[in-house]
Amino acid sequence: MSAAPLAAPKPAPAHRLPAGAVAVGLLALLLAAAGLSLSLGASGLAPWEPLLRPLSPVEAAILYDIRLPRLLLGALVGAGLAVSGALMQGLFRNPLADPGLVGVGAGAGLGAVIAIVLGGALPVAIRAATGIYLVPLFAFAGGWAAVVVLYRVASLRGQTSIATMLLAGIVLGALAGALTGILIFLADDAQLRDLTFWGLGSLAGANWLKLTAAGPILLAGLALSVPLARGLDAMALGEAVARHMGVPVERVKRGAILAVAAMTGAAVAVSGGIGFLGIVVPHILRLAVGPGHRLLLPLSALFGAALLIGADTAARLVVAPAELPIGILMALIGAPVFLWILLARRAVLEL
Amino acid sequence: MIRAGLIALLLWPALARAEGPGRVLSVGGGVTEIVYALGEEARLVGRDTTSTFPPAAAALPDVGYMRQLSPEGMLSVAPDLILLSAGAGPAETLETLGAAGVAMVTIPEGITPQAVTEKVAAVAAALGVSEKGAELNARLAAEMAAAQAAVAAEPGPAPKVLFILGNSGGRLTGAGAGTAAQAMIDLAGGENAITGFSGYKALTDEAIAAAAPDVLLVMDRGDGGASEGATEADYLAHPALAATPAGRAGAIVRMPGMFLLGFGPRTPEAITALHRALFAKAR
């Protein structure tokens, strides 16, 4: 891959939709998905039933301790993953970039695998302090560790080289993959099954504690991305041009990497491997409203949240009372849709 | 006698309610098998994906794979009691269920005849039918004693048995120390041909040759259909296996996985069946 990244998608004014209408549409989609997510489930309990009759403790738990935290966590994870994708694509000026490219996902995965396979060998104090949240904590730490290493490698005299970061990310990903492989080899039967299912991703473990732990990190990442939009737009023209325009290029890069690390780390930690969202959501939105990040980032958050909530609702209905791992469903629904869009509009996308 | 039986039958629903929880969700194939063996299947309102025996269990709602359970799916069958095989999870789901106030009992797992007894006693106690559990355990103890006596009376040398968990693309996975497969081979009077590692691991061709098994033991999913995977011919065609005594003699024993490795109420029967098959093939 060359140091000068692939061109950003060219603006396609011909088919662009009015941004206001898109925003309103996505908001409606998000609300509809949230409503369905609260209303539908294996137990067929509607959210307005508390208004009509007193709920049993179990019914109350289903609505307030299972569906509600799951809905909120799904919204934040979906928004975080989609915005992470948009940020990475902006930063690398490459429409195919995603958080996986810089090794955050692999680092988080390695952290989770360490916790699953070696968790029993950790000092009792650590296990006692983390309890059942050992795996998410390690996943988050692994993602962060990957970013710290990446940043150290890619920074020289206060300058961060995007090309070096990309290469370092690929190398880190390979290293994390190899270490994960060693642990998989060491794992016993039960651990292997845990690893497999963790990798497929699921929001089934959502609860208030996970939401209060990961929610603020995801929100902070989203907040951190907002002021980056102007800088990323300028950097689409090249770093030198952006610098001449007065954009603090280094700060934008650092901010974007921090935001991606926070959001991806937290998302992977609470939901395992949910791919695809980070690539597909920004792509579809770029086709609709163009490549400007001031629209792309907030709309990605809305669309990502709506999509993940919708997919999660489907995941728990398709084979109820069992549920599908959401990563599978995401790819199963998303990939054909994405392929169709590519086929229909490849001339506009100019990949 | 008959009248007493009839009265008991008529009173049965009331008795069941008086004795213990009426709506039971069973998670884990071994646990479900024990519920049926205790004759308490009428109380079952759900099961997990691994609960495939007896075949009647398949008619119950399936709440998913035992290591990837979702709380709402489990609550949707409105259980009074959830029986969980050790290893069921994830922990977050169990925590959420606990917070919702559903009674849960974890049934220990193990790969010894003693562990079978403990599992049966734990399930029976959770269902409030400890006496039935004691009866079942007495029967199992007798069966186990008979099976072990038959094994002990076997005159020949112990056949070396290579257990193969799976055959993916010619790569064989064998069972080392601490596995249910080795425990069953030992109980049935065989000797695990694989030494030097624990758990289930991929075998190299050299390790297979060095193991020099007299008999191959493979799993049969028991449905007789497409999921059976490798056929006996596939195993015999494997170059490393073909060179072993078992490969040359075509000595392959197939058994349903849950029957062989479940360490449940069918284990004495499985030991007897495995013992017969191993020694018949080894001769």
Side-chain angles (χ1 to χ4, degrees):
Chain A
M1 223 165 277
S2 76
L6 301 178
K10 299 234 168 74
H15 301 281
R16 208 168 281 173
L17 302 170
V22 172
V24 170
L26 287 178
L27 201 59
L29 190 68
L30 177 59
L31 290 176
L36 286 177
S37 166
L38 271 188
S39 313
L40 301 174
S43 45
L45 183 72
W48 54 85
E49 278 175 50
L51 305 175
L52 307 176
R53 64 184 174 87
L55 294 182
S56 75
V58 167
E59 288 173 323
I62 289 175
L63 272 189
Y64 305 125
D65 296 330
I66 296 177
R67 286 192 197 164
L68 194 56
R70 186 166 178 162
L71 162 68
L72 297 174
L73 197 68
L76 287 175
V77 166
L81 290 174
V83 171
S84 292
L87 286 177
M88 292 302 287
Q89 288 156 23
L91 189 64
F92 286 95
R93 277 169 277 161
N94 183 330
L96 294 177
D98 80 342
L101 203 62
V102 290
V104 189
L110 176 61
V113 175
I114 288 174
I116 291 172
V117 179
L118 304 179
L122 290 171
V124 180
I126 295 181
R127 276 183 290 147
T130 55
I132 62 172
Y133 297 98
L134 189 69
V135 174
L137 278 169
F138 266 64
F140 187 67
W144 266 107
V147 171
V148 170
V149 174
L150 185 84
Y151 203 76
R152 279 282 162 81
V153 173
S155 297
L156 190 66
R157 291 185 287 274
Q159 299 275 307
T160 315
S161 158
I162 291 292
T164 311
M165 195 181 280
L166 182 66
L167 288 173
I170 290 170
V171 170
L172 273 182
L175 186 64
L179 293 174
T180 302
I182 291 175
L183 289 166
I184 286 176
F185 182 76
L186 292 176
D188 70 25
D189 229 29
Q191 290 166 343
L192 276 180
R193 284 158 200 247
D194 283 343
L195 289 176
T196 311
F197 276 96
W198 192 85
L200 293 176
S202 173
L203 288 169
N207 56 29
W208 287 111
L209 187 58
K210 272 194 180 179
L211 183 68
T212 45
I217 301 173
L218 286 159
L219 281 174
L222 290 172
L224 189 57
S225 345
V226 175
L228 301 174
R230 198 182 82 87
L232 288 173
D233 283 344
M235 281 163 67
L237 306 169
E239 277 186 34
V241 178
R243 229 170 252 123
H244 284 302
M245 288 166 72
V247 172
V249 172
E250 279 311 310
R251 266 178 53 196
V252 172
K253 286 189 216 165
R254 215 175 304 140
I257 283 292
L258 270 176
V260 168
M263 290 187 288
T264 311
V268 174
V270 292
S271 63
I274 300 179
F276 216 68
L277 214 56
I279 290 232
V280 171
V281 166
H283 268 298
I284 293 177
L285 290 174
R286 244 183 245 117
L287 287 172
V289 299
H293 287 89
R294 253 170 292 190
L295 285 173
L296 193 60
L297 294 178
L299 293 185
S300 287
L302 280 182
F303 195 20
L307 212 54
L308 193 64
I309 294 172
D312 182 52
T313 308
R316 56 193 208 212
L317 288 176
V318 182
V319 291
E323 70 177 64
L324 281 178
I326 195 170
I328 299 177
L329 206 76
M330 207 70 230
L332 212 59
I333 300 169
V337 170
F338 191 43
L339 196 62
W340 175 75
I341 291 170
L342 282 184
L343 284 173
R345 312 200 58 172
R346 58 192 153 181
V348 180
L349 207 62
E350 285 186 17
L351 281 178
Chain B
M1 186 65 193
I2 293 168
R3 257 182 71 178
L6 267 177
I7 290 168
L9 204 67
L10 288 172
L11 286 175
W12 174 242
L15 282 175
R17 211 157 295 134
E19 274 173 350
R23 298 181 62 84
V24 177
L25 170 60
S26 174
V27 173
V31 174
T32 307
E33 244 182 70
I34 293 172
V35 174
Y36 275 87
L38 289 168
E40 295 295 317
E41 65 269 23
R43 297 201 213 168
L44 287 178
V45 293
R47 50 123 197 166
D48 76 317
T49 310
T50 67
S51 298
T52 54
F53 186 89
L60 295 165
D62 176 0
V63 299
Y65 179 61
M66 61 172 278
R67 304 189 77 84
Q68 192 60 38
L69 298 164
S70 83
E72 185 171 346
M74 296 175 78
L75 291 178
S76 74
V77 298
D80 304 326
L81 171 70
I82 304 178
L83 292 176
L84 295 163
S85 173
E92 295 98 317
T93 293
L94 304 186
E95 199 187 55
T96 305
L97 291 172
V102 183
M104 289 182 286
V105 174
T106 300
I107 308 300
E109 281 297 332
I111 52 170
T112 59
Q114 178 62 28
V116 175
T117 309
E118 283 162 14
K119 276 194 238 184
V120 169
V123 173
L127 293 175
V129 292
S130 290
E131 279 173 31
K132 278 181 154 187
E135 279 168 37
L136 177 59
N137 266 333
R139 199 188 81 204
L140 289 177
E143 285 179 23
M144 185 66 79
Q148 285 177 324
V151 170
E154 187 69 45
K160 282 168 84 177
V161 184
L162 177 62
F163 174 81
I164 293 171
L165 182 65
N167 175 5
S168 56
R171 264 182 35 150
L172 305 180
T173 301
T179 57
Q182 169 154 341
M184 282 302 288
I185 291 169
D186 290 345
L187 285 167
E191 181 195 333
N192 191 359
I194 294 291
T195 52
F197 69 76
S198 58
Y200 296 92
K201 292 266 156 67
L203 299 173
T204 63
D205 287 356
E206 251 177 74
I208 293 168
D214 302 311
V215 187
L216 298 183
L217 177 57
V218 299
M219 284 208 293
D220 174 357
R221 307 223 166 161
D223 55 6
S227 72
E228 270 195 47
T231 62
E232 298 194 358
D234 289 336
Y235 286 111
L236 295 176
H238 189 280
L241 277 182
T244 64
R248 284 198 300 271
I252 298 187
V253 173
R254 289 184 91 106
M255 276 199 184
M258 195 61 204
F259 176 61
L260 182 65
L261 306 177
F263 278 88
R266 292 184 291 159
T267 292
E269 195 189 325
I271 291 171
T272 305
L274 180 61
H275 169 245
R276 287 206 189 115
L278 290 183
F279 282 81
K281 291 281 184 182
R283 283 205 183 98

